[in-house]
Amino acid sequence: MRIGELAARAGTTTRTLRYYESRGLLPARRGGNGYRTYDEDDLKLLRQIRTLQDFGFDLEETRPFVECLRAGHPEGDSCPASLAVYRRKLDELDALIGELRAVRVKIGLRLAVAEAEVEPPLCELGGQEL
């Protein structure tokens, strides 16, 4: 298939595909007519990259998965390098979750202090406290 068809099937743009090619993630094969040519394996590579990016992986973090697929493994996450990236990403996520929990505690404490300092509202009709 040509670049436009691959882009459409992968849900991306031809510009993105050319960028992936420049980064060495997508093979740069040319037909006799000089046009880029792709096959179903290339579509699988792109789907792997897109899925990982949807999970928050940056483009370089997808490289071990792409290389695993290129090496003939049916799944891009069955190689040691891919597993190492998964482990690093989980560690990164655990750290972020810890940071968010700490921020949540601080905000909860600030809210409690702010609510304790607020005077009870007065009733609009008689000046009575609610």
Side-chain angles (χ1 to χ4, degrees):
M1 74 186 91
R2 295 199 5 210
I3 193 167
E5 181 183 351
L6 180 63
R9 289 184 62 192
T12 191
T13 65
T14 57
R15 182 178 180 182
T16 298
L17 299 184
R18 286 186 202 99
Y19 179 69
Y20 290 170
E21 182 182 311
S22 74
R23 299 288 306 268
L25 293 170
L26 191 62
R29 292 184 304 270
R30 301 268 181 176
N33 57 7
Y35 292 125
R36 290 174 172 88
T37 61
Y38 302 97
D39 58 24
E40 293 298 319
D41 289 338
D42 299 319
L43 181 59
K44 189 172 184 177
L45 287 175
L46 287 173
R47 288 183 174 150
Q48 179 79 68
I49 292 168
R50 298 289 302 231
T51 297
L52 292 168
Q53 286 188 308
D54 288 347
F55 289 160
F57 289 72
D58 66 37
L59 191 57
E60 195 55 37
E61 288 173 317
T62 69
R63 188 173 299 281
F65 299 88
V66 169
E67 290 171 356
C68 189
L69 285 169
R70 281 190 185 154
H73 296 274
E75 300 298 326
D77 56 5
S78 60
C79 295
S82 303
L83 297 173
V85 172
Y86 273 154
R87 286 185 192 98
R88 280 194 307 271
K89 183 56 78 173
L90 284 175
D91 289 344
E92 180 183 310
L93 290 170
D94 287 341
L96 288 171
I97 289 168
E99 290 173 21
L100 288 171
R101 283 189 176 132
V103 169
R104 188 184 190 294
V105 167
K106 289 177 185 176
I107 292 172
L109 291 172
R110 297 288 303 257
L111 175 62
V113 168
E115 287 178 333
E117 293 175 354
V118 173
E119 294 183 24
L122 298 176
C123 175
E124 293 179 18
L125 296 176
Q128 304 290 324
E129 289 185 17
L130 296 177

